[in-house]
Amino acid sequence: MTVRTGFPDLDQIAERIDKVPSLDQKQLEAEEIALLGRKSGVLTLKAKSLGSLPLEQRKSYGAKVNELKVLADAVIGGRKKELQVSVSGVLVRGEDLTMPGRRQWIGAEHPVTRVVDEIVDIFRGIGFTVAVGPEVETDWFNFTALNFPADHPAMDMHDTLYVDAPPVPGERGGRLLLRTHTSPVQIRTLLESPPPVRVVIPGLVYRNDPFDPSHAPAFSQIEGLAVDEGISFVDLKATLVHFAHRFFSPTTKVRFRPSFFPFTEPSAEMDVECHLCHGSGCPACKGTGWMEILGCGMVHPAVFEHSGVDPERYTGWAFGMGPHRITMLRYGIPDIRLLYDGDMRFLEQFVTAGQRGSGAAGQNTR
Ligand code: PHE
């Protein structure tokens, strides 16, 4: 009991007022009438009865009755406010306390970033390190050192974006361009660190391509390079099969088809069984049951010569894959431009539970 009036009957009323904050809506309505009702509220009756008391008692008793009336009024009013939540959960007045808070969009990994990270992690797990190189290259690194013949069509202005700057002098110089693949970093890596070498090289590459559903003028690649004594095509296949099993599924089938690149010999392209239809043919794999994911091959001796590696002593293999394309294949994305638009309605679909941050799924602030 918090209020001591000095009058037992009033102390009882004070005790009832103490309990008001725990009453529910119905009880509160009843108690309000019972205490303050105009006809028969107990405090109303006490006030009315003051007239029949002796003057001395009337003063002190009356003061306490008044105090209790004011107190009861305040406590009941406070409780009413607390309970002013309607059945639908909306406050009649003031704020809706049941409305979920607005979460700020804290961002998440872009699907291509996630794919790049996953791929790099798989190779890191088997002893590869990560190397990077410049996006602006000389044509020596991008083409010549990689054994492209001087008149190769890839060097044509139609395919390669050249930089409007004076050519770089020197043996490894030449015209400046935006690298068309990550393969020049093979040369840079070997020039910097002699074998044994095992690296993966993620990065952006540029081509003078139209921006259409299957082309973009800038896209990602991941290069792989392994150079050591006694490395064979068996190592290449085993490594890439391991990759496909880790990245797609442990039972994913792969196949190698002969191909051509100036900087590998022999060369191949690797397909993985379409993970959407499991080989039976669907729109994603254009009915073939297979999806082409990378080019690869044994490092051409000419590449070793340009990189200061003895081709009599060392052999190696290389591959190049396109994470934008792999992202499209993995998630069944029909148009590469969706990966560049930055449209949250598209990107949000790739946000995993762990990236959502705390709180239930709900509105983001846009
Ligand atoms: N650089 C090649 C491309 O862009 C891919 C590749 C890399 C092929 C390494 C073989 C070896 O198409």
Side-chain angles (χ1 to χ4, degrees):
M1 196 165 70
T2 52
V3 181
R4 287 240 154 237
T5 62
F7 303 97
D9 59 331
L10 296 187
D11 279 351
Q12 269 182 14
I13 297 173
E15 252 179 90
R16 284 173 67 176
I17 296 172
D18 285 346
K19 290 185 185 131
V20 164
S22 61
L23 301 182
D24 65 22
Q25 187 77 37
K26 270 203 175 146
Q27 295 167 328
L28 183 68
E29 280 165 19
E31 190 67 346
E32 184 178 17
I33 293 167
L35 289 171
L36 298 168
R38 256 190 292 155
K39 278 191 187 151
S40 52
V42 2
L43 283 167
T44 317
L45 295 179
K46 294 281 180 203
K48 276 185 188 164
S49 71
L50 288 176
S52 60
L53 291 176
L55 187 68
E56 231 172 79
Q57 206 186 337
R58 196 189 301 174
K59 257 191 161 181
S60 54
Y61 190 83
K64 292 295 170 195
V65 170
N66 257 335
E67 249 175 57
L68 287 182
K69 277 178 84 172
V70 171
L71 181 71
D73 204 52
V75 174
I76 289 170
R79 181 60 183 153
K80 269 190 194 165
K81 267 201 184 139
E82 277 176 11
L83 290 172
Q84 258 172 357
V85 180
S86 76
V87 182
S88 68
V90 180
L91 269 184
V92 177
R93 260 196 342 233
E95 297 198 344
D96 178 359
L97 301 176
T98 64
M99 199 169 98
R102 282 197 175 192
R103 274 193 307 110
Q104 295 287 326
W105 171 250
I106 53 163
E109 273 177 339
H110 190 276
V112 174
T113 307
R114 193 189 316 161
V115 163
V116 170
D117 287 352
E118 269 183 51
I119 294 171
V120 167
D121 275 351
I122 291 170
F123 284 95
R124 256 207 276 255
I126 51 173
F128 282 67
T129 54
V130 176
V132 287
E135 292 176 13
V136 176
E137 273 291 11
T138 64
D139 59 9
W140 187 83
F141 277 104
N142 196 78
F143 294 124
T144 314
L146 289 163
N147 198 35
F148 280 75
D151 58 352
H152 194 280
M155 297 164 80
D156 200 295
M157 298 278 281
H158 295 295
D159 290 325
T160 301
L161 293 160
Y162 286 91
V163 175
D164 192 8
V168 174
E171 194 197 340
R172 293 168 190 159
R175 288 169 80 185
L176 281 172
L177 48 79
L178 298 183
R179 66 180 179 193
T180 58
H181 51 178
T182 43
S183 300
V185 192
Q186 286 188 34
I187 310 291
R188 290 184 176 276
T189 305
L190 291 173
L191 283 172
E192 249 171 52
S193 41
V197 160
R198 281 168 182 78
V199 289
V200 280
I201 304 153
L204 281 179
V205 305
Y206 302 85
R207 290 184 194 174
N208 192 7
D209 276 336
F211 212 2
D212 68 22
S214 49
H215 296 89
F219 56 96
S220 55
Q221 280 198 340
I222 296 181
E223 193 87 7
L225 176 69
V227 179
D228 205 343
E229 287 179 39
I231 286 207
S232 76
F233 205 95
V234 174
D235 304 304
L236 167 60
K237 276 184 94 167
T239 307
L240 291 177
V241 167
H242 168 79
F243 157 73
H245 287 177
R246 290 292 304 276
F247 185 80
F248 291 102
S249 97
T251 53
T252 296
K253 291 197 188 97
V254 308
R255 72 177 182 188
F256 289 80
R257 286 177 292 105
S259 186
F260 174 81
F261 301 99
F263 40 94
T264 48
E265 177 61 31
S267 303
E269 258 154 309
M270 185 173 101
D271 301 337
V272 294
E273 180 188 70
C274 176
H275 71 285
L276 295 177
C277 65
H278 299 288
S280 57
C282 71
C285 60
K286 298 198 179 86
T288 63
W290 294 95
M291 304 189 306
E292 182 198 318
I293 63 158
L294 58 83
C296 59
M298 300 304 291
V299 178
H300 196 290
V303 170
F304 281 146
E305 270 159 25
H306 285 121
S307 325
V309 173
D310 179 1
E312 296 300 325
R313 179 168 170 202
Y314 293 105
T315 51
W317 52 255
F319 68 78
M321 58 175 113
H324 272 89
R325 237 182 80 74
I326 291 175
T327 304
M328 292 170 74
L329 296 173
R330 182 193 236 190
Y331 298 111
I333 298 167
D335 189 324
I336 196 170
R337 292 172 296 188
L338 287 164
L339 294 170
Y340 294 80
D341 284 347
D343 185 333
M344 300 292 280
R345 293 167 302 179
F346 169 75
L347 293 172
E348 267 182 330
Q349 300 174 67
F350 301 91
V351 178
T352 56
Q355 290 176 318
R356 278 192 192 281
S358 55
Q363 315 100 344
N364 289 304
T365 308
R366 301 229 171 119

